mmCIF file of all heavy atoms in Angstrom:
data_model
loop_
_atom_site.group_PDB
_atom_site.id
_atom_site.type_symbol
_atom_site.label_atom_id
_atom_site.label_comp_id
_atom_site.label_asym_id
_atom_site.label_seq_id
_atom_site.Cartn_x
_atom_site.Cartn_y
_atom_site.Cartn_z
ATOM 1 N N GLY A 1 27.690 -54.230 149.191
ATOM 2 C CA GLY A 1 26.633 -53.537 149.921
ATOM 3 C C GLY A 1 27.008 -53.245 151.364
ATOM 4 O O GLY A 1 26.151 -53.254 152.252
ATOM 5 N N LEU A 2 28.303 -52.979 151.593
ATOM 6 C CA LEU A 2 28.798 -52.719 152.941
ATOM 7 C C LEU A 2 29.589 -51.414 152.966
ATOM 8 O O LEU A 2 30.031 -50.936 151.933
ATOM 9 C CB LEU A 2 29.715 -53.866 153.404
ATOM 10 C CG LEU A 2 29.053 -55.237 153.549
ATOM 11 C CD1 LEU A 2 30.118 -56.311 153.730
ATOM 12 C CD2 LEU A 2 28.073 -55.246 154.714
ATOM 13 N N THR A 3 29.764 -50.868 154.152
ATOM 14 C CA THR A 3 30.562 -49.654 154.296
ATOM 15 C C THR A 3 32.033 -50.012 154.476
ATOM 16 O O THR A 3 32.379 -51.156 154.781
ATOM 17 C CB THR A 3 30.110 -48.828 155.511
ATOM 18 O OG1 THR A 3 30.370 -49.588 156.699
ATOM 19 C CG2 THR A 3 28.624 -48.504 155.428
ATOM 20 N N GLU A 4 32.898 -49.018 154.291
ATOM 21 C CA GLU A 4 34.335 -49.258 154.427
ATOM 22 C C GLU A 4 34.697 -49.691 155.850
ATOM 23 O O GLU A 4 35.677 -50.410 156.051
ATOM 24 C CB GLU A 4 35.117 -48.013 154.023
ATOM 25 C CG GLU A 4 35.043 -47.731 152.535
ATOM 26 C CD GLU A 4 35.934 -46.579 152.107
ATOM 27 O OE1 GLU A 4 36.932 -46.298 152.817
ATOM 28 O OE2 GLU A 4 35.642 -45.976 151.063
ATOM 29 N N ARG A 5 33.917 -49.279 156.815
ATOM 30 C CA ARG A 5 34.170 -49.697 158.203
ATOM 31 C C ARG A 5 34.206 -51.220 158.297
ATOM 32 O O ARG A 5 35.058 -51.803 158.974
ATOM 33 C CB ARG A 5 33.058 -49.133 159.098
ATOM 34 C CG ARG A 5 33.012 -49.759 160.470
ATOM 35 C CD ARG A 5 31.731 -49.398 161.188
ATOM 36 N NE ARG A 5 31.551 -50.232 162.363
ATOM 37 C CZ ARG A 5 30.405 -50.401 162.985
ATOM 38 N NH1 ARG A 5 29.319 -49.791 162.559
ATOM 39 N NH2 ARG A 5 30.325 -51.158 164.043
ATOM 40 N N TYR A 6 33.283 -51.886 157.594
ATOM 41 C CA TYR A 6 33.230 -53.341 157.648
ATOM 42 C C TYR A 6 34.339 -53.980 156.819
ATOM 43 O O TYR A 6 34.784 -55.083 157.125
ATOM 44 C CB TYR A 6 31.851 -53.838 157.204
ATOM 45 C CG TYR A 6 30.771 -53.462 158.180
ATOM 46 C CD1 TYR A 6 29.677 -52.700 157.789
ATOM 47 C CD2 TYR A 6 30.858 -53.851 159.515
ATOM 48 C CE1 TYR A 6 28.691 -52.347 158.685
ATOM 49 C CE2 TYR A 6 29.872 -53.498 160.429
ATOM 50 C CZ TYR A 6 28.798 -52.750 160.012
ATOM 51 O OH TYR A 6 27.828 -52.401 160.918
ATOM 52 N N PHE A 7 34.783 -53.284 155.791
ATOM 53 C CA PHE A 7 35.927 -53.793 155.034
ATOM 54 C C PHE A 7 37.137 -53.881 155.957
ATOM 55 O O PHE A 7 37.818 -54.913 156.019
ATOM 56 C CB PHE A 7 36.232 -52.869 153.848
ATOM 57 C CG PHE A 7 37.435 -53.295 153.046
ATOM 58 C CD1 PHE A 7 37.303 -54.131 151.953
ATOM 59 C CD2 PHE A 7 38.709 -52.859 153.406
ATOM 60 C CE1 PHE A 7 38.422 -54.542 151.230
ATOM 61 C CE2 PHE A 7 39.833 -53.256 152.683
ATOM 62 C CZ PHE A 7 39.678 -54.104 151.593
ATOM 63 N N TYR A 8 37.415 -52.790 156.685
ATOM 64 C CA TYR A 8 38.597 -52.745 157.550
ATOM 65 C C TYR A 8 38.423 -53.577 158.818
ATOM 66 O O TYR A 8 39.386 -53.806 159.547
ATOM 67 C CB TYR A 8 38.959 -51.296 157.861
ATOM 68 C CG TYR A 8 39.477 -50.584 156.639
ATOM 69 C CD1 TYR A 8 38.716 -49.604 155.999
ATOM 70 C CD2 TYR A 8 40.713 -50.921 156.091
ATOM 71 C CE1 TYR A 8 39.184 -48.972 154.851
ATOM 72 C CE2 TYR A 8 41.197 -50.290 154.950
ATOM 73 C CZ TYR A 8 40.425 -49.320 154.335
ATOM 74 O OH TYR A 8 40.892 -48.706 153.198
ATOM 75 N N GLU A 9 37.231 -54.062 159.065
ATOM 76 C CA GLU A 9 37.001 -55.009 160.151
ATOM 77 C C GLU A 9 37.696 -56.342 159.830
ATOM 78 O O GLU A 9 38.145 -57.049 160.738
ATOM 79 C CB GLU A 9 35.490 -55.226 160.302
ATOM 80 C CG GLU A 9 35.069 -56.344 161.217
ATOM 81 C CD GLU A 9 33.567 -56.562 161.159
ATOM 82 O OE1 GLU A 9 33.072 -57.073 160.116
ATOM 83 O OE2 GLU A 9 32.886 -56.219 162.144
ATOM 84 N N SER A 10 37.778 -56.663 158.540
ATOM 85 C CA SER A 10 38.338 -57.950 158.120
ATOM 86 C C SER A 10 39.718 -57.868 157.476
ATOM 87 O O SER A 10 40.477 -58.836 157.523
ATOM 88 C CB SER A 10 37.396 -58.630 157.121
ATOM 89 O OG SER A 10 36.170 -58.990 157.714
ATOM 90 N N PHE A 11 40.038 -56.726 156.861
ATOM 91 C CA PHE A 11 41.269 -56.635 156.072
ATOM 92 C C PHE A 11 42.023 -55.343 156.395
ATOM 93 O O PHE A 11 41.403 -54.298 156.568
ATOM 94 C CB PHE A 11 40.939 -56.680 154.573
ATOM 95 C CG PHE A 11 40.088 -57.865 154.194
ATOM 96 C CD1 PHE A 11 38.726 -57.710 153.994
ATOM 97 C CD2 PHE A 11 40.651 -59.131 154.064
ATOM 98 C CE1 PHE A 11 37.928 -58.800 153.675
ATOM 99 C CE2 PHE A 11 39.863 -60.225 153.736
ATOM 100 C CZ PHE A 11 38.501 -60.058 153.535
ATOM 101 N N ASP A 12 43.340 -55.431 156.424
ATOM 102 C CA ASP A 12 44.162 -54.261 156.743
ATOM 103 C C ASP A 12 44.138 -53.219 155.633
ATOM 104 O O ASP A 12 44.108 -52.019 155.893
ATOM 105 C CB ASP A 12 45.610 -54.674 157.007
ATOM 106 C CG ASP A 12 45.758 -55.452 158.298
ATOM 107 O OD1 ASP A 12 44.891 -55.300 159.191
ATOM 108 O OD2 ASP A 12 46.736 -56.213 158.415
ATOM 109 N N ASP A 13 44.185 -53.685 154.388
ATOM 110 C CA ASP A 13 44.195 -52.764 153.256
ATOM 111 C C ASP A 13 43.801 -53.509 151.981
ATOM 112 O O ASP A 13 43.485 -54.705 152.036
ATOM 113 C CB ASP A 13 45.568 -52.100 153.085
ATOM 114 C CG ASP A 13 46.711 -53.110 152.949
ATOM 115 O OD1 ASP A 13 46.478 -54.237 152.466
ATOM 116 O OD2 ASP A 13 47.849 -52.777 153.329
ATOM 117 N N ARG A 14 43.818 -52.820 150.874
ATOM 118 C CA ARG A 14 43.405 -53.401 149.605
ATOM 119 C C ARG A 14 44.249 -54.609 149.221
ATOM 120 O O ARG A 14 43.733 -55.654 148.801
ATOM 121 C CB ARG A 14 43.501 -52.337 148.492
ATOM 122 C CG ARG A 14 43.174 -52.869 147.117
ATOM 123 C CD ARG A 14 43.874 -52.035 146.029
ATOM 124 N NE ARG A 14 43.622 -52.579 144.714
ATOM 125 C CZ ARG A 14 44.384 -53.501 144.136
ATOM 126 N NH1 ARG A 14 45.441 -53.997 144.757
ATOM 127 N NH2 ARG A 14 44.085 -53.943 142.928
ATOM 128 N N ASP A 15 45.570 -54.501 149.357
ATOM 129 C CA ASP A 15 46.443 -55.597 148.953
ATOM 130 C C ASP A 15 46.225 -56.837 149.805
ATOM 131 O O ASP A 15 46.247 -57.961 149.300
ATOM 132 C CB ASP A 15 47.911 -55.157 149.013
ATOM 133 C CG ASP A 15 48.280 -54.230 147.865
ATOM 134 O OD1 ASP A 15 47.415 -53.964 146.994
ATOM 135 O OD2 ASP A 15 49.436 -53.755 147.831
ATOM 136 N N ALA A 16 46.010 -56.652 151.099
ATOM 137 C CA ALA A 16 45.729 -57.789 151.973
ATOM 138 C C ALA A 16 44.427 -58.462 151.544
ATOM 139 O O ALA A 16 44.307 -59.691 151.572
ATOM 140 C CB ALA A 16 45.641 -57.328 153.428
ATOM 141 N N PHE A 17 43.456 -57.655 151.140
ATOM 142 C CA PHE A 17 42.184 -58.182 150.661
ATOM 143 C C PHE A 17 42.378 -59.006 149.392
ATOM 144 O O PHE A 17 41.868 -60.127 149.268
ATOM 145 C CB PHE A 17 41.207 -57.031 150.403
ATOM 146 C CG PHE A 17 39.938 -57.452 149.715
ATOM 147 C CD1 PHE A 17 38.976 -58.166 150.394
ATOM 148 C CD2 PHE A 17 39.732 -57.134 148.381
ATOM 149 C CE1 PHE A 17 37.801 -58.556 149.753
ATOM 150 C CE2 PHE A 17 38.569 -57.516 147.733
ATOM 151 C CZ PHE A 17 37.604 -58.229 148.421
ATOM 152 N N VAL A 18 43.130 -58.468 148.443
ATOM 153 C CA VAL A 18 43.377 -59.176 147.184
ATOM 154 C C VAL A 18 44.061 -60.513 147.456
ATOM 155 O O VAL A 18 43.704 -61.544 146.870
ATOM 156 C CB VAL A 18 44.213 -58.307 146.219
ATOM 157 C CG1 VAL A 18 44.706 -59.124 145.029
ATOM 158 C CG2 VAL A 18 43.386 -57.113 145.735
ATOM 159 N N ARG A 19 45.026 -60.518 148.348
ATOM 160 C CA ARG A 19 45.708 -61.773 148.677
ATOM 161 C C ARG A 19 44.755 -62.763 149.339
ATOM 162 O O ARG A 19 44.830 -63.973 149.088
ATOM 163 C CB ARG A 19 46.917 -61.494 149.580
ATOM 164 C CG ARG A 19 48.076 -60.833 148.835
ATOM 165 C CD ARG A 19 49.334 -60.780 149.688
ATOM 166 N NE ARG A 19 49.210 -59.855 150.794
ATOM 167 C CZ ARG A 19 49.533 -58.567 150.732
ATOM 168 N NH1 ARG A 19 50.001 -58.048 149.601
ATOM 169 N NH2 ARG A 19 49.400 -57.777 151.782
ATOM 170 N N ALA A 20 43.848 -62.264 150.170
ATOM 171 C CA ALA A 20 42.872 -63.142 150.822
ATOM 172 C C ALA A 20 41.908 -63.748 149.801
ATOM 173 O O ALA A 20 41.551 -64.930 149.902
ATOM 174 C CB ALA A 20 42.089 -62.370 151.883
ATOM 175 N N VAL A 21 41.479 -62.959 148.829
ATOM 176 C CA VAL A 21 40.595 -63.475 147.773
ATOM 177 C C VAL A 21 41.315 -64.568 146.989
ATOM 178 O O VAL A 21 40.752 -65.632 146.719
ATOM 179 C CB VAL A 21 40.138 -62.336 146.833
ATOM 180 C CG1 VAL A 21 39.402 -62.904 145.614
ATOM 181 C CG2 VAL A 21 39.246 -61.356 147.580
ATOM 182 N N TYR A 22 42.563 -64.319 146.649
ATOM 183 C CA TYR A 22 43.330 -65.295 145.877
ATOM 184 C C TYR A 22 43.512 -66.595 146.669
ATOM 185 O O TYR A 22 43.356 -67.697 146.142
ATOM 186 C CB TYR A 22 44.678 -64.712 145.475
ATOM 187 C CG TYR A 22 45.450 -65.635 144.564
ATOM 188 C CD1 TYR A 22 45.136 -65.725 143.211
ATOM 189 C CD2 TYR A 22 46.471 -66.434 145.066
ATOM 190 C CE1 TYR A 22 45.829 -66.586 142.380
ATOM 191 C CE2 TYR A 22 47.170 -67.299 144.233
ATOM 192 C CZ TYR A 22 46.840 -67.371 142.897
ATOM 193 O OH TYR A 22 47.511 -68.237 142.070
ATOM 194 N N ALA A 23 43.855 -66.472 147.950
ATOM 195 C CA ALA A 23 44.035 -67.657 148.795
ATOM 196 C C ALA A 23 42.727 -68.430 148.927
ATOM 197 O O ALA A 23 42.712 -69.670 148.917
ATOM 198 C CB ALA A 23 44.546 -67.238 150.174
ATOM 199 N N HIS A 24 41.607 -67.698 149.030
ATOM 200 C CA HIS A 24 40.287 -68.326 149.141
ATOM 201 C C HIS A 24 39.976 -69.148 147.897
ATOM 202 O O HIS A 24 39.524 -70.298 147.992
ATOM 203 C CB HIS A 24 39.240 -67.223 149.354
ATOM 204 C CG HIS A 24 37.834 -67.706 149.386
ATOM 205 N ND1 HIS A 24 37.332 -68.471 150.413
ATOM 206 C CD2 HIS A 24 36.808 -67.539 148.507
ATOM 207 C CE1 HIS A 24 36.061 -68.748 150.185
ATOM 208 N NE2 HIS A 24 35.723 -68.198 149.023
ATOM 209 N N VAL A 25 40.239 -68.597 146.727
ATOM 210 C CA VAL A 25 39.981 -69.302 145.470
ATOM 211 C C VAL A 25 40.936 -70.495 145.322
ATOM 212 O O VAL A 25 40.529 -71.571 144.875
ATOM 213 C CB VAL A 25 40.108 -68.334 144.272
ATOM 214 C CG1 VAL A 25 40.114 -69.083 142.953
ATOM 215 C CG2 VAL A 25 38.957 -67.341 144.295
ATOM 216 N N GLY A 26 42.189 -70.315 145.713
ATOM 217 C CA GLY A 26 43.141 -71.419 145.662
ATOM 218 C C GLY A 26 42.703 -72.585 146.526
ATOM 219 O O GLY A 26 42.827 -73.752 146.129
ATOM 220 N N GLU A 27 42.162 -72.282 147.698
ATOM 221 C CA GLU A 27 41.675 -73.345 148.582
ATOM 222 C C GLU A 27 40.436 -74.014 147.994
ATOM 223 O O GLU A 27 40.265 -75.232 148.115
ATOM 224 C CB GLU A 27 41.383 -72.775 149.965
ATOM 225 C CG GLU A 27 40.873 -73.795 150.979
ATOM 226 C CD GLU A 27 41.823 -74.961 151.234
ATOM 227 O OE1 GLU A 27 43.015 -74.873 150.913
ATOM 228 O OE2 GLU A 27 41.348 -75.988 151.774
ATOM 229 N N GLN A 28 39.558 -73.241 147.348
ATOM 230 C CA GLN A 28 38.405 -73.844 146.672
ATOM 231 C C GLN A 28 38.862 -74.851 145.634
ATOM 232 O O GLN A 28 38.297 -75.950 145.517
ATOM 233 C CB GLN A 28 37.567 -72.764 145.969
ATOM 234 C CG GLN A 28 36.665 -71.969 146.879
ATOM 235 C CD GLN A 28 35.829 -70.984 146.065
ATOM 236 O OE1 GLN A 28 36.363 -70.246 145.233
ATOM 237 N NE2 GLN A 28 34.541 -70.980 146.298
ATOM 238 N N ALA A 29 39.864 -74.492 144.857
ATOM 239 C CA ALA A 29 40.379 -75.381 143.813
ATOM 240 C C ALA A 29 40.970 -76.643 144.423
ATOM 241 O O ALA A 29 40.718 -77.758 143.959
ATOM 242 C CB ALA A 29 41.418 -74.650 142.970
ATOM 243 N N ARG A 30 41.754 -76.464 145.467
ATOM 244 C CA ARG A 30 42.377 -77.619 146.112
ATOM 245 C C ARG A 30 41.335 -78.571 146.670
ATOM 246 O O ARG A 30 41.397 -79.783 146.461
ATOM 247 C CB ARG A 30 43.322 -77.158 147.234
ATOM 248 C CG ARG A 30 44.248 -78.244 147.752
ATOM 249 C CD ARG A 30 44.966 -77.814 149.021
ATOM 250 N NE ARG A 30 44.059 -77.825 150.166
ATOM 251 C CZ ARG A 30 43.706 -78.937 150.821
ATOM 252 N NH1 ARG A 30 44.186 -80.101 150.464
ATOM 253 N NH2 ARG A 30 42.874 -78.869 151.842
ATOM 254 N N GLN A 31 40.334 -78.009 147.343
ATOM 255 C CA GLN A 31 39.274 -78.838 147.927
ATOM 256 C C GLN A 31 38.469 -79.561 146.852
ATOM 257 O O GLN A 31 38.079 -80.725 147.027
ATOM 258 C CB GLN A 31 38.340 -77.969 148.793
ATOM 259 C CG GLN A 31 38.950 -77.497 150.085
ATOM 260 C CD GLN A 31 39.157 -78.626 151.074
ATOM 261 O OE1 GLN A 31 38.600 -79.703 150.953
ATOM 262 N NE2 GLN A 31 40.000 -78.376 152.073
ATOM 263 N N ALA A 32 38.200 -78.897 145.732
ATOM 264 C CA ALA A 32 37.442 -79.530 144.643
ATOM 265 C C ALA A 32 38.193 -80.737 144.099
ATOM 266 O O ALA A 32 37.605 -81.792 143.841
ATOM 267 C CB ALA A 32 37.186 -78.518 143.522
ATOM 268 N N ILE A 33 39.514 -80.591 143.935
ATOM 269 C CA ILE A 33 40.322 -81.694 143.409
ATOM 270 C C ILE A 33 40.393 -82.834 144.421
ATOM 271 O O ILE A 33 40.215 -84.003 144.078
ATOM 272 C CB ILE A 33 41.732 -81.195 143.050
ATOM 273 C CG1 ILE A 33 41.651 -80.203 141.889
ATOM 274 C CG2 ILE A 33 42.640 -82.358 142.683
ATOM 275 C CD1 ILE A 33 42.941 -79.444 141.631
ATOM 276 N N VAL A 34 40.650 -82.520 145.685
ATOM 277 C CA VAL A 34 40.733 -83.544 146.723
ATOM 278 C C VAL A 34 39.418 -84.311 146.827
ATOM 279 O O VAL A 34 39.393 -85.548 146.864
ATOM 280 C CB VAL A 34 41.106 -82.917 148.085
ATOM 281 C CG1 VAL A 34 40.926 -83.921 149.213
ATOM 282 C CG2 VAL A 34 42.541 -82.407 148.052
ATOM 283 N N HIS A 35 38.294 -83.588 146.852
ATOM 284 C CA HIS A 35 36.990 -84.241 146.959
ATOM 285 C C HIS A 35 36.734 -85.159 145.777
ATOM 286 O O HIS A 35 36.227 -86.273 145.930
ATOM 287 C CB HIS A 35 35.881 -83.190 147.065
ATOM 288 C CG HIS A 35 34.507 -83.792 147.087
ATOM 289 N ND1 HIS A 35 34.013 -84.460 148.187
ATOM 290 C CD2 HIS A 35 33.540 -83.851 146.130
ATOM 291 C CE1 HIS A 35 32.795 -84.900 147.920
ATOM 292 N NE2 HIS A 35 32.494 -84.548 146.681
#
């Protein structure tokens, strides 16, 4: 529900976004196991 302007506020391009999503999920998994 956001415009592309806000997408590029956080991410350089689509691939950078995909990598950020993957890293975010990887950290969720790591934190769940550690906890």
Side-chain angles (χ1 to χ4, degrees):
L2 296 168
T3 65
E4 291 186 24
R5 166 193 167 198
Y6 292 122
F7 178 92
Y8 291 109
E9 170 187 71
S10 294
F11 307 101
D12 290 336
D13 55 28
R14 176 206 177 271
D15 286 357
F17 171 73
V18 169
R19 288 189 291 270
V21 171
Y22 186 78
H24 176 69
V25 169
E27 180 59 18
Q28 282 183 311
R30 193 191 74 79
Q31 288 290 344
I33 294 169
V34 169
H35 176 73

